[in-house]
Short mmCIF file of all heavy atoms in Angstrom, two decimals:
data_model
loop_
_atom_site.label_atom_id
_atom_site.label_comp_id
_atom_site.label_asym_id
_atom_site.label_seq_id
_atom_site.Cartn_x
_atom_site.Cartn_y
_atom_site.Cartn_z
N ASP A 37 17.83 53.62 21.87
CA ASP A 37 17.58 54.64 20.85
C ASP A 37 16.30 54.40 20.06
O ASP A 37 15.94 55.22 19.22
CB ASP A 37 18.77 54.78 19.91
CG ASP A 37 18.94 53.60 18.95
OD1 ASP A 37 18.11 52.67 18.97
OD2 ASP A 37 19.91 53.60 18.19
N LYS A 38 15.63 53.25 20.30
CA LYS A 38 14.37 52.93 19.62
C LYS A 38 14.48 53.05 18.11
O LYS A 38 13.56 53.50 17.44
CB LYS A 38 13.24 53.83 20.13
CG LYS A 38 12.87 53.62 21.59
CD LYS A 38 11.64 54.45 21.95
CE LYS A 38 11.23 54.24 23.40
NZ LYS A 38 10.05 55.04 23.73
N ARG A 39 15.62 52.63 17.57
CA ARG A 39 15.88 52.63 16.14
C ARG A 39 15.71 54.03 15.53
O ARG A 39 15.12 54.24 14.49
CB ARG A 39 14.93 51.65 15.42
CG ARG A 39 15.17 51.51 13.91
CD ARG A 39 13.86 51.51 13.17
NE ARG A 39 14.07 51.59 11.73
CZ ARG A 39 14.01 52.73 11.05
NH1 ARG A 39 13.79 53.87 11.64
NH2 ARG A 39 14.20 52.72 9.75
N GLY A 40 16.24 55.02 16.20
CA GLY A 40 16.07 56.36 15.70
C GLY A 40 14.60 56.72 15.74
O GLY A 40 13.97 57.03 14.72
N TYR A 41 14.04 56.66 16.93
CA TYR A 41 12.59 56.81 17.10
C TYR A 41 12.06 58.07 16.41
O TYR A 41 10.99 58.06 15.80
CB TYR A 41 12.27 56.86 18.60
CG TYR A 41 10.80 56.97 18.93
CD1 TYR A 41 9.98 55.85 18.92
CD2 TYR A 41 10.24 58.20 19.27
CE1 TYR A 41 8.64 55.94 19.24
CE2 TYR A 41 8.89 58.31 19.59
CZ TYR A 41 8.10 57.17 19.57
OH TYR A 41 6.77 57.27 19.89
N ASP A 42 12.81 59.15 16.47
CA ASP A 42 12.34 60.41 15.87
C ASP A 42 12.23 60.31 14.35
O ASP A 42 11.54 61.12 13.72
CB ASP A 42 13.28 61.56 16.23
CG ASP A 42 13.18 61.92 17.71
OD1 ASP A 42 12.15 61.56 18.32
OD2 ASP A 42 14.13 62.52 18.24
N ALA A 43 12.92 59.33 13.74
CA ALA A 43 12.88 59.18 12.29
C ALA A 43 11.61 58.46 11.82
O ALA A 43 11.29 58.48 10.63
CB ALA A 43 14.11 58.41 11.79
N LEU A 44 10.88 57.82 12.75
CA LEU A 44 9.65 57.13 12.38
C LEU A 44 8.55 58.14 12.10
O LEU A 44 8.51 59.22 12.68
CB LEU A 44 9.21 56.20 13.51
CG LEU A 44 10.17 55.07 13.91
CD1 LEU A 44 9.59 54.30 15.08
CD2 LEU A 44 10.46 54.15 12.75
N ASP A 45 7.65 57.76 11.21
CA ASP A 45 6.52 58.66 10.97
C ASP A 45 5.50 58.48 12.11
O ASP A 45 5.64 57.60 12.97
CB ASP A 45 5.89 58.43 9.60
CG ASP A 45 5.30 57.04 9.42
OD1 ASP A 45 4.80 56.45 10.40
OD2 ASP A 45 5.34 56.51 8.28
N ALA A 46 4.49 59.31 12.10
CA ALA A 46 3.53 59.32 13.21
C ALA A 46 2.84 57.97 13.39
O ALA A 46 2.64 57.50 14.52
CB ALA A 46 2.49 60.42 12.99
N ALA A 47 2.46 57.33 12.28
CA ALA A 47 1.77 56.04 12.38
C ALA A 47 2.69 54.97 12.94
O ALA A 47 2.27 54.12 13.75
CB ALA A 47 1.26 55.63 10.99
N GLN A 48 3.96 54.99 12.53
CA GLN A 48 4.91 54.01 13.03
C GLN A 48 5.18 54.21 14.52
O GLN A 48 5.26 53.25 15.28
CB GLN A 48 6.22 54.10 12.23
CG GLN A 48 6.08 53.63 10.80
CD GLN A 48 7.30 53.96 9.94
OE1 GLN A 48 8.13 54.79 10.32
NE2 GLN A 48 7.39 53.33 8.78
N LYS A 49 5.29 55.48 14.93
CA LYS A 49 5.48 55.76 16.35
C LYS A 49 4.29 55.26 17.17
O LYS A 49 4.46 54.67 18.24
CB LYS A 49 5.67 57.25 16.57
CG LYS A 49 7.00 57.80 16.07
CD LYS A 49 7.09 59.31 16.29
CE LYS A 49 8.41 59.87 15.79
NZ LYS A 49 8.49 61.35 15.94
N ALA A 50 3.10 55.49 16.66
CA ALA A 50 1.90 55.07 17.39
C ALA A 50 1.86 53.55 17.51
O ALA A 50 1.51 53.01 18.57
CB ALA A 50 0.65 55.58 16.67
N GLU A 51 2.22 52.87 16.44
CA GLU A 51 2.21 51.40 16.48
C GLU A 51 3.27 50.89 17.43
O GLU A 51 3.03 49.98 18.23
CB GLU A 51 2.44 50.84 15.08
CG GLU A 51 2.41 49.32 15.02
CD GLU A 51 2.51 48.76 13.61
OE1 GLU A 51 2.13 49.49 12.66
OE2 GLU A 51 2.97 47.61 13.44
N TYR A 52 4.47 51.48 17.34
CA TYR A 52 5.57 51.07 18.23
C TYR A 52 5.18 51.26 19.69
O TYR A 52 5.39 50.38 20.53
CB TYR A 52 6.81 51.88 17.90
CG TYR A 52 8.01 51.56 18.77
CD1 TYR A 52 8.97 50.64 18.35
CD2 TYR A 52 8.17 52.17 20.01
CE1 TYR A 52 10.06 50.35 19.16
CE2 TYR A 52 9.25 51.88 20.82
CZ TYR A 52 10.20 50.97 20.38
OH TYR A 52 11.28 50.67 21.18
N ASP A 53 4.60 52.42 20.01
CA ASP A 53 4.23 52.71 21.39
C ASP A 53 3.14 51.78 21.91
O ASP A 53 3.04 51.55 23.13
CB ASP A 53 3.74 54.16 21.51
CG ASP A 53 4.86 55.18 21.32
OD1 ASP A 53 6.04 54.79 21.49
OD2 ASP A 53 4.56 56.34 20.96
N ALA A 54 2.34 51.23 20.99
CA ALA A 54 1.26 50.33 21.40
C ALA A 54 1.75 48.90 21.63
O ALA A 54 1.01 48.09 22.19
CB ALA A 54 0.15 50.34 20.35
N TRP A 55 2.97 48.59 21.16
CA TRP A 55 3.49 47.24 21.37
C TRP A 55 3.77 46.99 22.84
O TRP A 55 4.14 47.91 23.58
CB TRP A 55 4.80 47.04 20.61
CG TRP A 55 4.70 47.02 19.13
CD1 TRP A 55 3.59 46.84 18.37
CD2 TRP A 55 5.79 47.22 18.21
NE1 TRP A 55 3.90 46.89 17.04
CE2 TRP A 55 5.25 47.12 16.91
CE3 TRP A 55 7.14 47.47 18.37
CZ2 TRP A 55 6.03 47.25 15.77
CZ3 TRP A 55 7.93 47.59 17.23
CH2 TRP A 55 7.38 47.49 15.94
N PRO A 56 3.65 45.73 23.27
CA PRO A 56 4.10 45.39 24.62
C PRO A 56 5.62 45.63 24.72
O PRO A 56 6.32 45.64 23.72
CB PRO A 56 3.76 43.89 24.74
CG PRO A 56 2.76 43.63 23.67
CD PRO A 56 3.05 44.59 22.57
N ALA A 57 6.10 45.80 25.92
CA ALA A 57 7.53 46.04 26.13
C ALA A 57 8.38 44.91 25.53
O ALA A 57 9.49 45.14 25.03
CB ALA A 57 7.82 46.20 27.62
N SER A 58 7.85 43.68 25.56
CA SER A 58 8.62 42.55 25.02
C SER A 58 8.84 42.69 23.52
O SER A 58 9.90 42.36 23.00
CB SER A 58 7.90 41.23 25.33
OG SER A 58 6.59 41.22 24.76
N TYR A 59 7.82 43.19 22.79
CA TYR A 59 7.97 43.42 21.35
C TYR A 59 9.01 44.49 21.10
O TYR A 59 9.85 44.38 20.20
CB TYR A 59 6.64 43.87 20.74
CG TYR A 59 5.54 42.84 20.67
CD1 TYR A 59 5.63 41.61 21.34
CD2 TYR A 59 4.38 43.10 19.94
CE1 TYR A 59 4.61 40.69 21.28
CE2 TYR A 59 3.35 42.17 19.87
CZ TYR A 59 3.46 40.98 20.56
OH TYR A 59 2.44 40.08 20.49
N GLN A 60 8.95 45.57 21.87
CA GLN A 60 9.88 46.66 21.69
C GLN A 60 11.32 46.20 21.94
O GLN A 60 12.25 46.58 21.22
CB GLN A 60 9.53 47.83 22.63
CG GLN A 60 8.20 48.48 22.31
CD GLN A 60 7.86 49.61 23.28
OE1 GLN A 60 8.62 49.88 24.21
NE2 GLN A 60 6.73 50.26 23.05
N THR A 61 11.50 45.36 22.94
CA THR A 61 12.84 44.84 23.24
C THR A 61 13.38 44.00 22.09
O THR A 61 14.54 44.11 21.70
CB THR A 61 12.82 44.01 24.54
OG1 THR A 61 12.40 44.84 25.62
CG2 THR A 61 14.21 43.45 24.85
N VAL A 62 12.51 43.13 21.56
CA VAL A 62 12.91 42.30 20.42
C VAL A 62 13.26 43.18 19.23
O VAL A 62 14.31 43.01 18.60
CB VAL A 62 11.79 41.31 20.05
CG1 VAL A 62 12.10 40.64 18.71
CG2 VAL A 62 11.62 40.26 21.13
N TYR A 63 12.41 44.12 18.94
CA TYR A 63 12.60 45.00 17.77
C TYR A 63 13.89 45.80 17.85
O TYR A 63 14.64 45.89 16.89
CB TYR A 63 11.40 45.94 17.67
CG TYR A 63 11.54 47.01 16.61
CD1 TYR A 63 11.20 46.75 15.28
CD2 TYR A 63 12.04 48.27 16.93
CE1 TYR A 63 11.34 47.73 14.31
CE2 TYR A 63 12.17 49.26 15.97
CZ TYR A 63 11.82 48.98 14.66
OH TYR A 63 11.96 49.96 13.70
N THR A 64 14.16 46.40 19.01
CA THR A 64 15.35 47.23 19.13
C THR A 64 16.64 46.41 19.14
O THR A 64 17.73 46.96 19.02
CB THR A 64 15.29 48.10 20.40
OG1 THR A 64 15.03 47.26 21.54
CG2 THR A 64 14.22 49.16 20.28
N GLY A 65 16.52 45.08 19.28
CA GLY A 65 17.69 44.22 19.20
C GLY A 65 18.04 43.80 17.79
O GLY A 65 19.07 43.18 17.55
N TRP A 66 17.15 44.11 16.82
CA TRP A 66 17.42 43.74 15.43
C TRP A 66 18.46 44.66 14.80
O TRP A 66 18.58 45.83 15.18
CB TRP A 66 16.15 43.86 14.59
CG TRP A 66 15.08 42.88 14.91
CD1 TRP A 66 15.19 41.71 15.60
CD2 TRP A 66 13.70 43.00 14.53
NE1 TRP A 66 13.97 41.09 15.68
CE2 TRP A 66 13.04 41.85 15.04
CE3 TRP A 66 12.98 43.95 13.84
CZ2 TRP A 66 11.67 41.65 14.84
CZ3 TRP A 66 11.62 43.75 13.64
CH2 TRP A 66 10.98 42.61 14.14
N PRO A 67 19.18 44.16 13.77
CA PRO A 67 20.02 45.05 12.97
C PRO A 67 19.14 46.10 12.29
O PRO A 67 17.95 45.88 12.06
CB PRO A 67 20.65 44.11 11.93
CG PRO A 67 20.57 42.75 12.55
CD PRO A 67 19.32 42.75 13.36
N ALA A 68 19.71 47.24 11.96
CA ALA A 68 18.94 48.35 11.38
C ALA A 68 18.22 47.95 10.10
O ALA A 68 17.09 48.39 9.86
CB ALA A 68 19.87 49.53 11.11
N GLU A 69 18.85 47.09 9.26
CA GLU A 69 18.19 46.73 8.00
C GLU A 69 16.95 45.86 8.23
O GLU A 69 16.00 45.91 7.45
CB GLU A 69 19.16 46.03 7.04
CG GLU A 69 19.82 44.77 7.56
CD GLU A 69 21.17 45.04 8.17
OE1 GLU A 69 21.34 46.11 8.79
OE2 GLU A 69 22.06 44.17 8.03
N TYR A 70 16.95 45.06 9.29
CA TYR A 70 15.77 44.27 9.60
C TYR A 70 14.64 45.19 10.07
O TYR A 70 13.47 45.00 9.72
CB TYR A 70 16.06 43.24 10.70
CG TYR A 70 16.96 42.10 10.29
CD1 TYR A 70 17.52 42.03 9.02
CD2 TYR A 70 17.27 41.09 11.19
CE1 TYR A 70 18.36 40.99 8.67
CE2 TYR A 70 18.09 40.04 10.84
CZ TYR A 70 18.65 39.99 9.58
OH TYR A 70 19.47 38.95 9.24
N GLN A 71 14.98 46.18 10.87
CA GLN A 71 13.97 47.12 11.35
C GLN A 71 13.35 47.88 10.18
O GLN A 71 12.14 48.04 10.11
CB GLN A 71 14.61 48.09 12.35
CG GLN A 71 15.11 47.39 13.61
CD GLN A 71 15.89 48.33 14.52
OE1 GLN A 71 16.27 49.42 14.12
NE2 GLN A 71 16.11 47.91 15.76
N SER A 72 14.21 48.33 9.26
CA SER A 72 13.70 49.06 8.08
C SER A 72 12.80 48.17 7.24
O SER A 72 11.74 48.58 6.76
CB SER A 72 14.87 49.59 7.25
OG SER A 72 15.64 50.51 7.99
N GLU A 73 13.24 46.92 7.04
CA GLU A 73 12.45 45.99 6.24
C GLU A 73 11.09 45.73 6.88
O GLU A 73 10.08 45.64 6.19
CB GLU A 73 13.21 44.66 6.09
CG GLU A 73 12.48 43.60 5.28
CD GLU A 73 13.22 42.28 5.23
OE1 GLU A 73 14.47 42.29 5.22
OE2 GLU A 73 12.56 41.23 5.19
N PHE A 74 11.06 45.63 8.19
CA PHE A 74 9.83 45.32 8.91
C PHE A 74 8.74 46.35 8.61
O PHE A 74 7.57 46.00 8.48
CB PHE A 74 10.11 45.25 10.41
CG PHE A 74 8.98 44.68 11.22
CD1 PHE A 74 8.68 43.32 11.17
CD2 PHE A 74 8.22 45.49 12.06
CE1 PHE A 74 7.64 42.78 11.92
CE2 PHE A 74 7.19 44.95 12.82
CZ PHE A 74 6.90 43.60 12.75
N TRP A 75 9.12 47.62 8.49
CA TRP A 75 8.12 48.67 8.25
C TRP A 75 7.63 48.67 6.80
O TRP A 75 6.65 49.35 6.49
CB TRP A 75 8.69 50.04 8.61
CG TRP A 75 8.88 50.22 10.08
CD1 TRP A 75 10.05 50.37 10.75
CD2 TRP A 75 7.86 50.24 11.09
NE1 TRP A 75 9.84 50.49 12.09
CE2 TRP A 75 8.50 50.41 12.34
CE3 TRP A 75 6.47 50.12 11.06
CZ2 TRP A 75 7.80 50.46 13.54
CZ3 TRP A 75 5.77 50.19 12.26
CH2 TRP A 75 6.43 50.35 13.48
N THR A 76 8.29 47.92 5.92
CA THR A 76 7.80 47.82 4.54
C THR A 76 6.67 46.80 4.43
O THR A 76 5.98 46.74 3.41
CB THR A 76 8.92 47.41 3.57
OG1 THR A 76 9.36 46.07 3.85
CG2 THR A 76 10.10 48.36 3.67
N TYR A 77 6.46 45.98 5.46
CA TYR A 77 5.40 44.98 5.44
C TYR A 77 4.05 45.66 5.70
O TYR A 77 3.97 46.61 6.49
CB TYR A 77 5.60 43.91 6.52
CG TYR A 77 6.89 43.15 6.48
CD1 TYR A 77 7.34 42.48 7.61
CD2 TYR A 77 7.67 43.09 5.33
CE1 TYR A 77 8.53 41.76 7.60
CE2 TYR A 77 8.86 42.37 5.31
CZ TYR A 77 9.29 41.71 6.45
OH TYR A 77 10.46 41.01 6.44
N PRO A 78 2.98 45.14 5.09
CA PRO A 78 1.64 45.61 5.45
C PRO A 78 1.38 45.35 6.93
O PRO A 78 1.98 44.46 7.53
CB PRO A 78 0.71 44.79 4.56
CG PRO A 78 1.58 44.33 3.42
CD PRO A 78 2.95 44.15 4.00
N VAL A 79 0.48 46.09 7.51
CA VAL A 79 0.23 45.97 8.94
C VAL A 79 -0.22 44.57 9.33
O VAL A 79 0.12 44.07 10.42
CB VAL A 79 -0.81 47.03 9.40
CG1 VAL A 79 -2.17 46.77 8.77
CG2 VAL A 79 -0.91 47.04 10.93
N ASP A 80 -0.97 43.87 8.45
CA ASP A 80 -1.42 42.52 8.81
C ASP A 80 -0.25 41.54 8.85
O ASP A 80 -0.26 40.58 9.62
CB ASP A 80 -2.53 42.03 7.87
CG ASP A 80 -2.11 42.08 6.41
OD1 ASP A 80 -1.28 42.94 6.05
OD2 ASP A 80 -2.62 41.27 5.61
N TYR A 81 0.80 41.79 8.03
CA TYR A 81 2.00 40.95 8.09
C TYR A 81 2.72 41.17 9.42
O TYR A 81 3.18 40.22 10.06
CB TYR A 81 2.96 41.27 6.95
CG TYR A 81 2.50 40.89 5.56
CD1 TYR A 81 1.22 40.40 5.32
CD2 TYR A 81 3.36 41.04 4.46
CE1 TYR A 81 0.81 40.08 4.04
CE2 TYR A 81 2.96 40.71 3.18
CZ TYR A 81 1.68 40.24 2.96
OH TYR A 81 1.28 39.92 1.70
N ARG A 82 2.82 42.44 9.81
CA ARG A 82 3.50 42.75 11.07
C ARG A 82 2.76 42.13 12.25
O ARG A 82 3.37 41.57 13.17
CB ARG A 82 3.64 44.27 11.24
CG ARG A 82 4.48 44.94 10.16
CD ARG A 82 4.92 46.34 10.57
NE ARG A 82 3.83 47.28 10.75
CZ ARG A 82 3.34 48.07 9.81
NH1 ARG A 82 3.83 48.00 8.56
NH2 ARG A 82 2.36 48.93 10.07
N THR A 83 1.43 42.22 12.20
CA THR A 83 0.63 41.64 13.27
C THR A 83 0.81 40.12 13.31
O THR A 83 0.95 39.53 14.39
CB THR A 83 -0.86 41.98 13.07
OG1 THR A 83 -1.01 43.41 13.06
CG2 THR A 83 -1.72 41.38 14.17
N ALA A 84 0.82 39.48 12.14
CA ALA A 84 1.01 38.03 12.07
C ALA A 84 2.37 37.64 12.64
O ALA A 84 2.49 36.65 13.37
CB ALA A 84 0.87 37.54 10.63
N TYR A 85 3.38 38.43 12.31
CA TYR A 85 4.74 38.12 12.79
C TYR A 85 4.79 38.10 14.31
O TYR A 85 5.36 37.17 14.90
CB TYR A 85 5.73 39.16 12.26
CG TYR A 85 7.12 38.99 12.82
CD1 TYR A 85 8.03 38.14 12.22
CD2 TYR A 85 7.50 39.65 13.99
CE1 TYR A 85 9.30 37.96 12.76
CE2 TYR A 85 8.76 39.47 14.54
CZ TYR A 85 9.65 38.63 13.92
OH TYR A 85 10.90 38.44 14.46
N TRP A 86 4.19 39.10 14.95
CA TRP A 86 4.26 39.14 16.41
C TRP A 86 3.48 38.00 17.06
O TRP A 86 3.70 37.68 18.24
CB TRP A 86 3.73 40.48 16.92
CG TRP A 86 4.63 41.65 16.62
CD1 TRP A 86 4.32 42.77 15.92
CD2 TRP A 86 6.01 41.80 17.01
NE1 TRP A 86 5.41 43.61 15.84
CE2 TRP A 86 6.46 43.04 16.50
CE3 TRP A 86 6.90 41.01 17.73
CZ2 TRP A 86 7.76 43.51 16.70
CZ3 TRP A 86 8.20 41.48 17.93
CH2 TRP A 86 8.61 42.70 17.42
N GLY A 87 2.59 37.37 16.30
CA GLY A 87 1.84 36.24 16.85
C GLY A 87 2.59 34.93 16.78
O GLY A 87 2.12 33.92 17.31
N TRP A 88 3.76 34.92 16.14
CA TRP A 88 4.52 33.69 16.01
C TRP A 88 5.26 33.36 17.30
O TRP A 88 5.63 34.26 18.06
CB TRP A 88 5.57 33.81 14.91
CG TRP A 88 5.05 33.92 13.53
CD1 TRP A 88 3.80 33.68 13.09
CD2 TRP A 88 5.81 34.32 12.38
NE1 TRP A 88 3.71 33.90 11.74
CE2 TRP A 88 4.94 34.29 11.28
CE3 TRP A 88 7.13 34.70 12.17
CZ2 TRP A 88 5.35 34.62 9.99
CZ3 TRP A 88 7.55 35.02 10.90
CH2 TRP A 88 6.67 34.98 9.81
N PRO A 89 5.55 32.05 17.52
CA PRO A 89 6.44 31.68 18.62
C PRO A 89 7.85 32.23 18.34
O PRO A 89 8.20 32.53 17.19
CB PRO A 89 6.44 30.14 18.58
CG PRO A 89 5.21 29.77 17.80
CD PRO A 89 4.99 30.87 16.82
N ALA A 90 8.65 32.32 19.36
CA ALA A 90 10.01 32.89 19.23
C ALA A 90 10.86 32.10 18.23
O ALA A 90 11.65 32.70 17.48
CB ALA A 90 10.69 32.92 20.59
N ASP A 91 10.70 30.76 18.18
CA ASP A 91 11.53 29.99 17.25
C ASP A 91 11.15 30.25 15.80
O ASP A 91 12.01 30.21 14.91
CB ASP A 91 11.47 28.49 17.57
CG ASP A 91 10.06 27.93 17.56
OD1 ASP A 91 9.10 28.71 17.75
OD2 ASP A 91 9.90 26.70 17.36
N TYR A 92 9.90 30.55 15.51
CA TYR A 92 9.49 30.93 14.16
C TYR A 92 10.17 32.25 13.77
O TYR A 92 10.66 32.41 12.65
CB TYR A 92 7.97 31.13 14.06
CG TYR A 92 7.12 29.88 14.12
CD1 TYR A 92 7.62 28.67 14.59
CD2 TYR A 92 5.78 29.92 13.72
CE1 TYR A 92 6.81 27.55 14.67
CE2 TYR A 92 4.96 28.80 13.78
CZ TYR A 92 5.48 27.62 14.26
OH TYR A 92 4.67 26.51 14.34
N GLN A 93 10.14 33.20 14.69
CA GLN A 93 10.72 34.51 14.41
C GLN A 93 12.22 34.40 14.15
O GLN A 93 12.76 35.02 13.23
CB GLN A 93 10.46 35.47 15.58
CG GLN A 93 8.98 35.76 15.81
CD GLN A 93 8.74 36.64 17.02
OE1 GLN A 93 9.68 37.14 17.64
NE2 GLN A 93 7.47 36.84 17.37
N THR A 94 12.90 33.58 14.95
CA THR A 94 14.34 33.38 14.76
C THR A 94 14.62 32.75 13.40
O THR A 94 15.53 33.17 12.68
CB THR A 94 14.91 32.49 15.88
OG1 THR A 94 14.70 33.14 17.14
CG2 THR A 94 16.40 32.25 15.68
N ALA A 95 13.84 31.72 13.05
CA ALA A 95 14.02 31.05 11.76
C ALA A 95 13.77 32.01 10.61
O ALA A 95 14.49 31.99 9.60
CB ALA A 95 13.08 29.85 11.66
N TYR A 96 12.78 32.86 10.75
CA TYR A 96 12.41 33.80 9.68
C TYR A 96 13.57 34.72 9.32
O TYR A 96 13.89 34.91 8.15
CB TYR A 96 11.20 34.62 10.13
CG TYR A 96 10.75 35.67 9.14
CD1 TYR A 96 9.95 35.32 8.06
CD2 TYR A 96 11.14 37.00 9.28
CE1 TYR A 96 9.53 36.28 7.14
CE2 TYR A 96 10.72 37.97 8.37
CZ TYR A 96 9.93 37.60 7.31
OH TYR A 96 9.52 38.55 6.39
N TRP A 97 14.23 35.30 10.32
CA TRP A 97 15.33 36.23 10.04
C TRP A 97 16.59 35.51 9.58
O TRP A 97 17.52 36.14 9.07
CB TRP A 97 15.61 37.11 11.25
CG TRP A 97 14.50 38.08 11.53
CD1 TRP A 97 13.69 38.12 12.62
CD2 TRP A 97 14.07 39.15 10.67
NE1 TRP A 97 12.78 39.15 12.51
CE2 TRP A 97 12.99 39.80 11.32
CE3 TRP A 97 14.48 39.63 9.43
CZ2 TRP A 97 12.32 40.89 10.78
CZ3 TRP A 97 13.81 40.72 8.87
CH2 TRP A 97 12.76 41.33 9.54
N ALA A 98 16.64 34.19 9.76
CA ALA A 98 17.78 33.42 9.26
C ALA A 98 17.64 33.14 7.76
O ALA A 98 18.61 32.74 7.13
CB ALA A 98 17.91 32.10 10.02
#
Side-chain angles (χ1 to χ4, degrees):
D37 72 3
K38 294 186 179 180
R39 183 223 171 263
Y41 182 81
D42 290 340
L44 299 177
D45 62 33
Q48 291 169 344
K49 289 178 180 178
E51 182 174 335
Y52 179 95
D53 291 339
W55 291 343
S58 59
Y59 290 11
Q60 295 179 358
T61 300
V62 169
Y63 173 86
T64 53
W66 292 342
E69 58 265 35
Y70 290 2
Q71 296 173 346
S72 297
E73 179 184 326
F74 191 72
W75 290 114
T76 66
Y77 303 160
V79 65
D80 55 331
Y81 291 6
R82 298 196 296 269
T83 301
Y85 174 87
W86 290 122
W88 293 347
D91 56 336
Y92 288 17
Q93 296 177 6
T94 299
Y96 178 82
W97 291 116

